[in-house]
Amino acid sequence: MAGYNFDSFFAESSGGSFLPIIKYDARAGRMSKRDRGPDGTHEADITRNFKAIFDMENVEAGWIMFPAGAAPQFRMSRMADGIPVEQPGEDFKRGVRFVVKLSKDCGGDVRELASNARAFMKGVRKLFADYSEGVKSNPGKLPVVTMADSVPETSGEGARKSTNYVPVFEITGWVARPEDLVYAPRSSSPSPSSSSSSFGSAPSTGSTKVAAPVDEDDFG
């Protein structure tokens, strides 16, 4: 994303509609999608076949808080708007929020992906760099993104030692914007289907996905 400073933070968004979510669990290196039904919330692991069109033109950045046992809180705005915002509280951490369209194998719908996990942010930095370079020869198009791997990264010592998994996102192709992938300002209120709970447990090794050739029919 040429000219954008990933470490800058932007103004609180207002209004906007809610979307169902997908979630990256940095403690497990897994991607899941979450849906709420009449009998509760259900998660489905989509790590192995994850593929989505990312609306990189309208990425939101800012501050996210995931309070224990409660829905997340967002203070976000489009990176392209470039309006700085102060940290709203010490429990808010800098994060990003994407709107993505999943491949048909993953459900084919439009969803939200947001995180403030350091491991996730590290993977996203590389994705931004790849997008900034690739869009130069693909103007007006959006990237098709897979998750090729998740790489363990250990921090701390003794009782504070922990392992998180950095996602390895890969751009496997470029497509025209789908008709249903339309940007609207995202609300700073929590999504009804959002939660901060984790999915699964950490694998002994990173999960690996072999990227398939891009086919626009994968998305409807």
Side-chain angles (χ1 to χ4, degrees), residues 125-184:
R125 287 177 186 272
K126 179 62 165 57
L127 176 60
F128 278 144
D130 292 345
Y131 170 78
S132 296
E133 184 62 30
V135 75
K136 296 174 184 177
S137 54
N138 294 279
K141 292 188 176 182
L142 298 177
V144 175
V145 178
T146 64
M147 193 171 77
D149 203 351
S150 57
V151 179
E153 187 173 83
T154 301
S155 61
E157 296 180 356
R160 294 182 176 273
K161 185 176 181 179
S162 64
T163 299
N164 288 284
Y165 292 80
V166 177
V168 180
F169 292 116
E170 290 187 354
I171 296 176
T172 60
W174 297 81
V175 297
R177 177 182 292 274
E179 291 183 359
D180 57 347
L181 189 55
V182 178
Y183 176 75

Side-chain angles (χ1 to χ4, degrees), residues 10-19 60-67 71-78 85-86 88 92 97 112 114 183-192 194:
F10 305 99
E12 175 178 349
S13 60
S14 60
S17 58
F18 296 121
L19 289 174
E60 291 182 346
W63 300 92
I64 307 174
M65 178 176 64
F66 290 100
Q73 299 291 326
F74 299 92
R75 298 296 184 269
M76 314 290 287
S77 187
R78 291 173 68 242
V85 62
E86 293 183 2
F92 281 82
R97 181 163 57 177
E112 176 182 302
Y183 176 75
R186 311 298 303 132
S187 175
S188 285
S189 301
S191 170
S194 297

Side-chain angles (χ1 to χ4, degrees), residues 7-8 32 38 46 55 95 113 140 142 153 156-157 174 182-183 197-198:
D7 291 327
S8 296
S32 63
I46 57 173
D55 187 0
L113 170 63
L142 298 177
E153 187 173 83
E157 296 180 356
W174 297 81
V182 178
Y183 176 75
S197 64
S198 63

Side-chain angles (χ1 to χ4, degrees), residues 22-23 31-32 45-54 100-103 105-106 113 144-148 168-170 172 209-212 219:
I22 58 174
K23 178 179 181 293
M31 190 78 73
S32 63
D45 190 332
I46 57 173
T47 304
R48 292 180 61 84
N49 62 335
F50 176 72
K51 181 189 288 187
I53 299 170
F54 276 51
V100 307
K101 179 177 172 62
L102 295 175
S103 68
D105 284 348
C106 295
L113 170 63
V144 175
V145 178
T146 64
M147 193 171 77
V168 180
F169 292 116
E170 290 187 354
T172 60
K209 178 184 184 304
V210 178
F219 297 92

